[in-house]
């Protein structure tokens, strides 16, 4: 069997870092050999550094418990131990941009969960089922960075995963206007109910920065590569409100869509069921077999019933029906820390490996 690629997790002690570690346990292609975090965690074992802050519902994998945490700022040292890294660091955007570029310049590919590079023109922001052709800009990014192997690729915001795949599936019908309201889980803020008791039986009608991301990032995903950079799509026009709700995992979206064409409900449902991409065609390890499921029961999708669909890597859609102001409306649901965060980044890395962008050093 081909030797596994050696992986480092930057920001390994945080919630998304923990999710990376739990998802990569027994991964057929990747092995976590290095965990890096802030200087205050460096030098401790991973088990000691996390302490009582392990937030996953599965036990900490034995393979990482005794790994000594490295200082994430010691870029050369960390990079020398791995073939590529996943980034989930908790820093300012300027600091994240700088440290991710520093890792890339050591000829270490960086697959990031962070938002800092999502609008860097030559950094691909990819949902692998939708826009793998955006990886083409990596060649231009490498020229800018002066690298032959190193680069940065990112995955988009967790809040758009419950509706952007539907817009991609319906591309032939020309979605032109979208109104979306997302009802977002507390794990999206890196919290549990134990950390955030104020969220019990509460709703907060504001999440900093989320509405702009939710309106703009789908347009970058649906955009095109031109002259070594990604140009965002002009349509659909999207307006969004983002609300924090007392749910641990799972972002739900209530969405209204206006189309240029006049599709039937049956055509729209079939387009969702048929929608697939490179991950499904290549049967990548983390790929959902059925990316989008459509549920006929009016009471679905529900977080308690559907958030773990396809191990959290699939999207659940229901209640598609005609609207009196827009053409159609529907409800979408996705797992925000699996498909929306670490799992989406793992699938990006699998796609990059399959396409030859990531290999052994």
């Amino acid at each position: 069997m081909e030797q596994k690629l050696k992986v480092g997790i930057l920001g390994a002690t945080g919630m998304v870092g923990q999710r990376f570690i739990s998802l990569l346990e027994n991964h057929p292609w990747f092995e976590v050999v290095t965990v890096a975090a802030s200087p205050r965690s460096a030098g401790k074992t991973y088990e000691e550094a996390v302490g009582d802050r392990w937030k996953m519902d599965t036990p900490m994998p034995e393979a990482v418990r005794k790994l000594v945490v490295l200082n994430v700022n010691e870029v050369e040292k960390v990079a020398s131990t791995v073939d590529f890294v996943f980034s989930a660091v908790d820093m300012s955007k300027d600091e994240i941009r700088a440290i991710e570029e520093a890792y890339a310049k050591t000829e270490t590919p960086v697959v990031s969960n962070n938002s800092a590079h999502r609008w860097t023109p030559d950094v691909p922001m990819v949902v692998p089922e939708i826009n793998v052709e955006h990886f083409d800009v990596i060649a231009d990014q490498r020229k800018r960075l002066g690298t032959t192997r190193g680069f940065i690729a990112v995955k988009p915001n967790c809040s758009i995963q419950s509706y952007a795949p539907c817009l991609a599936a319906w591309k032939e019908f020309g979605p032109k206007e979208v109104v979306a309201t997302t009802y977002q889980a507390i794990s999206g803020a890196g919290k549990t109910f134990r950390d955030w008791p104020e969220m019990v039986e509460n709703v907060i009608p504001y999440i900093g920065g989320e509405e702009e991301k939710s309106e703009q990032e789908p347009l970058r995903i649906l955009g095109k590569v031109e002259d070594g950079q990604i140009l965002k799509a002009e349509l659909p026009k999207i307006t969004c409100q983002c609300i924090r709700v007392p749910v641990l995992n799972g972002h739900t979206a209530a969405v209204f869509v206006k189309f240029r064409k006049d599709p039937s409900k049956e055509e729209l449902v079939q387009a969702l069921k048929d929608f697939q991409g490179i991950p499904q065609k290549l049967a990548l390890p983390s790929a959902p077999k059925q990316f989008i499921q459509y549920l006929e029961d009016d009471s679905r999708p529900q977080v308690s019933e559907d958030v773990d669909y396809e191990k959290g890597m699939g999207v659940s859609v229901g209640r598609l029906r005609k609207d009196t102001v827009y053409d159609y409306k529907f409800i979408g649901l996705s797992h925000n820390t699996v498909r929306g965060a670490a799992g989406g980044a793992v699938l990006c890395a699998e796609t990059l490996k399959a396409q030859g962008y990531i290999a052994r050093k």
Side-chain angles (χ1 to χ4, degrees):
M1 192 183 98
E2 185 186 355
Q3 211 173 1
K4 290 185 182 183
L5 295 177
K6 293 184 288 187
V7 177
I9 312 291
L10 312 181
T13 56
M15 190 179 228
V16 176
Q18 292 177 25
R19 180 67 76 181
F20 273 121
I21 281 166
S22 63
L23 289 175
L24 291 168
E25 185 178 18
N26 302 318
H27 193 282
W29 295 0
F30 307 146
E31 180 182 2
V32 177
V33 298
T34 299
V35 287
S38 66
R40 68 177 176 273
S41 295
K44 300 175 183 175
T45 65
Y46 184 70
E47 191 173 31
E48 290 168 344
V50 172
D52 64 355
R53 294 179 297 110
W54 181 254
K55 296 179 179 181
M56 300 298 104
D57 50 15
T58 53
M60 182 183 291
E62 287 296 327
V64 301
R65 285 178 183 272
K66 302 304 178 191
L67 289 179
V68 175
V69 178
L70 300 184
N71 182 346
V72 74
N73 299 313
E74 294 180 357
V75 175
E76 294 281 351
K77 181 177 179 181
V78 174
S80 69
T81 66
V82 298
D83 295 312
F84 76 100
V85 295
F86 288 110
S87 175
V89 290
D90 183 12
M91 300 174 172
S92 73
K93 285 198 177 178
D94 286 344
E95 289 171 325
I96 292 169
R97 273 192 284 270
I99 200 166
E100 290 183 349
E101 284 206 358
Y103 274 93
K105 285 176 178 175
T106 68
E107 301 292 2
T108 305
V110 178
V111 182
S112 179
N113 181 69
N114 296 306
S115 63
H117 274 294
R118 287 185 193 152
W119 290 95
T120 304
D122 59 10
V123 171
M125 178 174 72
V126 170
V127 176
E129 285 86 354
I130 299 175
N131 62 325
V132 288
E133 68 278 4
H134 288 194
F135 287 143
D136 292 350
V137 300
I138 288 172
D140 295 273
Q141 185 195 143
R142 282 170 167 163
K143 286 178 194 165
R144 174 174 65 82
L145 296 176
T147 60
T148 56
R149 190 178 178 281
F151 64 88
I152 302 161
V154 300
K155 53 141 288 295
N157 196 44
C158 54
S159 65
I160 72 171
Q161 312 280 341
S162 51
Y163 60 92
C166 301
L167 302 179
W170 294 334
K171 188 176 180 180
E172 65 182 295
F173 306 116
K176 62 179 183 179
E177 287 180 30
V178 174
V179 176
T181 301
T182 57
Y183 302 88
Q184 299 187 202
I186 63 171
S187 57
K191 303 276 182 68
T192 64
F193 285 110
R194 188 178 68 174
D195 309 325
W196 202 0
E198 299 85 359
M199 272 309 302
V200 176
E201 295 189 31
N202 194 18
V203 167
I204 298 176
Y206 172 72
I207 307 171
E210 286 290 294
E211 287 165 1
E212 182 183 11
K213 293 174 190 174
S214 299
E215 291 170 355
Q216 294 298 316
E217 288 188 17
L219 300 178
R220 191 165 199 250
I221 292 165
L222 298 170
K224 61 183 179 181
V225 175
E226 198 170 284
D227 297 327
Q229 55 184 327
I230 296 153
L231 302 181
K232 72 177 189 178
E234 293 184 6
L235 292 175
K237 302 292 185 190
I238 302 172
T239 183
C240 194
Q241 294 194 96
C242 298
I243 299 170
R244 188 73 74 193
V245 294
V247 165
L248 179 59
N249 293 310
H251 287 355
T252 299
V255 188
F256 300 77
V257 188
K258 196 173 279 188
F259 293 98
R260 286 200 298 271
K261 296 183 181 174
D262 185 24
S264 67
K265 176 183 174 178
E266 291 70 27
E267 287 176 312
L268 292 172
V269 169
Q270 197 59 49
L272 295 177
K273 291 178 177 176
D274 291 345
F275 189 63
Q276 59 170 277
I278 293 289
Q280 286 71 39
K281 289 169 185 166
L282 298 180
L284 297 179
S286 299
K289 287 184 174 62
Q290 178 75 36
F291 181 30
I292 305 173
Q293 69 166 341
Y294 185 78
L295 301 162
E296 297 289 350
D297 183 340
D298 276 346
S299 68
R300 307 277 289 276
Q302 289 181 29
V303 168
S304 62
E305 298 278 341
D306 304 304
V307 74
D308 291 320
Y309 168 64
E310 290 278 14
K311 298 180 180 175
M313 289 297 288
V315 175
S316 299
V317 175
R319 300 204 69 209
L320 179 69
R321 62 221 190 271
K322 283 274 193 182
D323 185 56
T324 54
V325 177
Y326 282 69
D327 294 330
Y328 284 91
K329 52 193 170 188
F330 70 93
I331 304 294
L333 170 68
S334 61
H335 196 306
N336 55 295
T337 68
V338 183
R339 168 57 77 161
V346 170
L347 189 59
C348 274
E350 291 170 0
T351 309
L352 287 160
K353 178 190 180 297
Q355 296 193 327
Y357 289 99
I358 294 176
R360 298 197 67 76
K361 273 189 178 173

